[in-house]
Structure formats: structure tokens, C-alpha cells
């Protein structure tokens, strides 16, 4: 296992925070397309952070949680659009 750098740790923690914020935004917004857009941006940032932190399992877990929350935001937005 390799130790993570400060940049890697920051990227993965920020991916988690952005994912959680996009999911919270998806539940609170009245415009579903904004929720899908926020989720897509969060997923893109999360996948980038997942690639950056691929050498440390702890960093990968943080980034993967951010991707999961961003996907939830996309699904909530899509659910609101189609229902």
C-alpha cells in the first residue's frame, strides 16, 4: 500500500463532499435538470478523483462514495423528470 499525498487526499475528500452536496441539491431543487447536471458534474469529479487515488484503498473509498452520491443525484433528477 502506498501512502497518499496531500493532493490525493484533498481530491478524494472533495469528491465525497461534492457528491454529497449534489445529492442534497437534487432533493431540494425544483428543477430536475439542474439535479441531473449537478450529479453529472459530481460524478465526473468523483471518477477523476478515483483515478488519482487508485493506489490507496482509503482514498478510493472516499472517491467511490462521492461517485455513488453523485449517481444518486442523477437518478433523483431523472426520476423527477420522468414522473
Amino acid at each position: 500500500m502506498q501512502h497518499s499525498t496531500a493532493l490525493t487526499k484533498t481530491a478524494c475528500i472533495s469528491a465525497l463532499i461534492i457528491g454529497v452536496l449534489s445529492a442534497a441539491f437534487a432533493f431540494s431543487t425544483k428543477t430536475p435538470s439542474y439535479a441531473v447536471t449537478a450529479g453529472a458534474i459530481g460524478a465526473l469529479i468523483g471518477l477523476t478523483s478515483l483515478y488519482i487515488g487508485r493506489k490507496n484503498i482509503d482514498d478510493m473509498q472516499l472517491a467511490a462514495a462521492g461517485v455513488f452520491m453523485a449517481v444518486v443525484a442523477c437518478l433523483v433528477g431523472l426520476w423527477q423528470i420522468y414522473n
Side-chain angles (χ1 to χ4, degrees):
M1 180 174 90
Q2 291 184 344
H3 297 288
S4 62
T5 63
L7 177 64
T8 305
K9 186 67 79 178
T10 303
C12 293
I13 290 173
S14 64
L16 175 62
I17 291 169
I18 291 169
V20 169
L21 289 177
S22 66
F25 178 71
F27 283 107
S28 65
T29 186
K30 301 294 183 206
T31 309
S33 62
Y34 291 162
V36 174
T37 303
I41 292 170
L44 184 64
I45 292 170
L47 289 173
T48 304
S49 297
L50 193 61
Y51 178 76
I52 292 170
R54 71 188 180 279
K55 295 182 180 178
N56 188 327
I57 191 69
D58 294 332
D59 293 339
M60 285 183 66
Q61 288 175 345
L62 290 171
V67 170
F68 174 76
M69 295 305 291
V71 168
V72 167
C74 285
L75 292 176
V76 167
L78 290 173
W79 180 265
Q80 291 173 351
I81 287 172
Y82 293 112
N83 280 336

